[in-house]
Amino acid sequence: MRRRIFSAAATTVVLGLLIPLAGCGGPGGSADDDGTLRLVAAEYGDTSTNSSKDFWDKVTDDFTASNPGIKVQVEILPWADIDREVSRMVKAGNAPDMALMGGYSDFAAQGKLYSAPELLSVSAEANFLQPLADAGSVRNTLYGLPFVASSRLLFYNEKLLTDAGVIPKDSKNGWQPKTWLDLKAAAVALKAKGVKTPFALPLGPEEAHAEAMIWELSNGGGYADNSGNYSLASEQNIMTFKWIKQHLVAPGLLGPTPPSQLNRADAFAAFANGEVGMLNGYPQLAHEARNKGIKVGAVAMPVSDTLNTGQAPPNVGVADWMMAFKQNGHRDEIGKFLDFVYRDKNLSDFAGRYHLLPSTVSASRTMAGSSGMDENDQQFLNALRGAQLYPVNDPSWVIISDTIKRNIGRAVDPSGDPKAVLEEIAAKANEAKKAAR
């Protein structure tokens, strides 16, 4: 979700699904200072029938009906373009009043954003789920307002694992792997049964940083240490990729496409078509696969066999961020609009459309108690509560995540050296961090 939450939006919207709301100008177009707010928002839909336009049409109409003096223009941009376009607007001195996108910390570091205390009531600020609030804060001040989120779990095709003998035919408990060796044993059984891709490991440039972090956390590693310093080439991380290379790549358990060339969208499509035994995924994929008749199981990622811990490592969580720019001085109007958008009904409606998770405690409870969240979505919400997110509050993360995405797959290539690749990434990360100071 690329760090994106919703892969289809991130990949198919570039086919031309660019749908500004009525009355919006092109990218960078400004509204007259007549009480009109400008919001630039990412497109979460993958077709014209499920475009985010419908949501924003209704929300802005309802808001203006309750606040006649304030209009809101919403410009919807593809995920592939929004980070670049908003940055361009800000540099040109034409910042929108608000933006909903994948990162915020570079703007916060430049002093361009209002903080949450300047916009929201104390109770509204305290309503965000804690892991999301932590990730949205810079020096203990919230600048990135989490909007929707997701977590990752290990998916498996129940039929394929049952046919391979991994799951007993009369089992009612599904598959409950505890360690990486359990995962490897299942992959070996799937391969013996003729499954094309026993385990899909997308370490291609689309979203390799997500897959890498899942594995690193399950071995006690990760991108940063307890002090918040990058630890990309830690001993645990190097061991993680050595294990993957030795136990999954070398025996041919990852399918015909090398991990460094496999993108998430392709892996997800293959799983939804019944061609993949196991992979790490999020709620939307589970719904897509089930709609195609695939019986999907979902469990926490198993841990390495050497990990000695009294508690399970955190799951990976991801979120997208609403931010408010100071440039136009519309603090009061922005605050009123955000208060409206973050009402439980609106947030739950948006999350439900795309099988995502709302970012607030109250909306999560509302959604869990309604038909908007099924049992499977609840499993992801439970995982999110204890999840670890990317270090998005570091201004250098945008550059560092791109470096990880484009290079980490080489660590498990047949000719790759995990230690050398991770140390190379770490050196580039240190350079980016120094440049961002």
Side-chain angles (χ1 to χ4, degrees):
M1 207 175 249
R2 176 178 309 162
R3 187 208 64 81
R4 297 290 149 244
I5 293 174
F6 187 38
S7 64
T11 56
T12 63
V13 74
V14 296
L15 299 178
L17 186 59
L18 176 57
I19 314 174
L21 299 192
C24 292
S30 62
D32 293 334
D33 193 6
D34 58 355
T36 299
L37 300 175
R38 288 175 54 223
L39 166 63
V40 178
E43 172 62 84
Y44 285 75
D46 59 345
T47 68
S48 59
T49 58
N50 71 347
S51 169
S52 305
K53 176 183 185 298
D54 292 339
F55 172 82
W56 291 114
D57 272 343
K58 185 175 189 313
V59 165
T60 54
D61 286 349
D62 290 348
F63 173 75
T64 298
S66 301
N67 300 269
I70 309 174
K71 297 180 181 179
V72 184
Q73 291 183 341
V74 182
E75 181 179 354
I76 300 177
L77 294 178
W79 277 114
D81 299 337
I82 189 167
D83 288 2
R84 181 182 65 250
E85 286 299 323
V86 172
S87 294
R88 183 184 65 79
M89 294 176 195
V90 174
K91 289 179 181 178
N94 189 28
D97 294 289
M98 296 162 287
L100 172 59
M101 50 195 280
Y104 72 90
S105 59
D106 49 344
F107 300 124
Q110 298 168 34
K112 303 284 188 183
L113 302 180
Y114 288 118
S115 66
E118 294 175 293
L119 300 168
L120 306 175
S121 67
V122 173
S123 59
E125 184 180 355
N127 194 26
F128 291 116
L129 292 167
Q130 194 59 50
L132 306 183
D134 290 343
S137 297
V138 177
R139 293 183 293 276
N140 298 317
T141 299
L142 185 64
Y143 288 96
L145 310 183
F147 192 67
V148 285
S150 186
S151 57
R152 301 298 172 89
L153 293 172
L154 177 63
F155 288 2
Y156 60 90
N157 183 314
E158 290 194 19
K159 182 179 186 305
L160 293 183
L161 264 68
T162 300
D163 291 346
V166 177
I167 303 175
K169 291 186 180 297
D170 59 350
S171 173
K172 296 182 180 180
N173 298 321
W175 183 48
Q176 299 294 329
K178 300 301 181 185
T179 69
W180 289 353
L181 287 181
D182 293 334
L183 188 152
K184 177 184 178 181
V188 169
L190 288 165
K191 183 181 180 182
K193 198 67 176 177
V195 175
K196 184 178 180 182
T197 304
F199 189 95
L201 187 75
L203 292 177
E206 181 187 354
E207 203 198 32
H209 60 318
E211 186 70 24
M213 186 172 172
I214 292 169
W215 283 88
E216 290 170 357
L217 289 178
S218 65
N219 189 34
Y223 289 141
D225 60 25
N226 293 333
S227 300
N229 299 312
Y230 284 110
S231 56
L232 299 168
S234 67
E235 182 179 346
Q236 296 100 316
N237 290 349
I238 293 171
M239 179 271 196
T240 293
F241 291 96
K242 285 183 175 179
W243 190 95
I244 292 172
K245 184 176 178 180
Q246 177 183 351
H247 292 273
L248 298 181
V249 176
L253 302 177
L254 301 180
T257 304
S260 61
Q261 300 175 30
L262 180 63
N263 278 322
R264 195 231 4 235
D266 296 328
F268 281 16
F271 183 82
N273 288 332
E275 300 167 3
V276 172
M278 302 169 285
L279 52 58
N280 289 301
Y282 51 69
Q284 179 64 22
L285 172 61
H287 284 272
E288 290 175 358
R290 290 181 182 115
N291 287 340
K292 290 188 174 184
I294 305 296
K295 193 170 183 181
V296 181
V299 294
M301 178 69 178
V303 301
S304 73
D305 299 81
T306 59
L307 187 62
N308 183 15
T309 177
Q311 60 182 18
N315 297 288
V316 168
V318 292
D320 290 328
W321 311 96
M322 181 75 77
M323 66 209 75
F325 290 89
K326 294 179 178 179
Q327 180 181 307
N328 302 316
H330 293 157
R331 190 183 78 172
D332 291 343
E333 293 87 349
I334 293 171
K336 289 181 180 178
F337 180 67
L338 292 181
D339 177 70
F340 187 84
V341 170
Y342 277 92
R343 290 180 180 178
D344 291 350
K345 179 181 182 302
N346 293 327
L347 203 56
S348 298
D349 178 26
F350 190 91
R353 287 169 183 254
Y354 304 111
H355 300 292
L356 298 172
L357 306 174
S359 60
T360 64
V361 174
S362 58
S364 298
R365 289 172 178 165
T366 299
M367 198 168 175
S370 70
S371 59
M373 179 179 291
D374 62 22
E375 179 180 345
N376 299 296
D377 290 337
Q378 182 66 53
Q379 188 178 5
F380 285 93
L381 178 59
N382 293 338
L384 180 64
R385 291 192 174 105
Q388 183 170 318
L389 281 74
Y390 307 126
V392 291
N393 46 11
D394 188 315
S396 62
W397 172 245
V398 173
I399 296 174
I400 292 172
S401 63
D402 188 66
T403 301
I404 295 170
K405 286 189 292 185
R406 298 182 185 282
N407 292 280
I408 196 69
R410 294 190 289 112
V412 298
D413 281 344
S415 60
D417 179 343
K419 185 174 187 292
V421 171
L422 265 65
E423 288 179 343
E424 176 188 326
I425 293 172
K428 292 179 179 179
N430 289 334
E431 291 176 6
K433 193 170 182 67
K434 289 178 182 178
R437 289 175 181 171

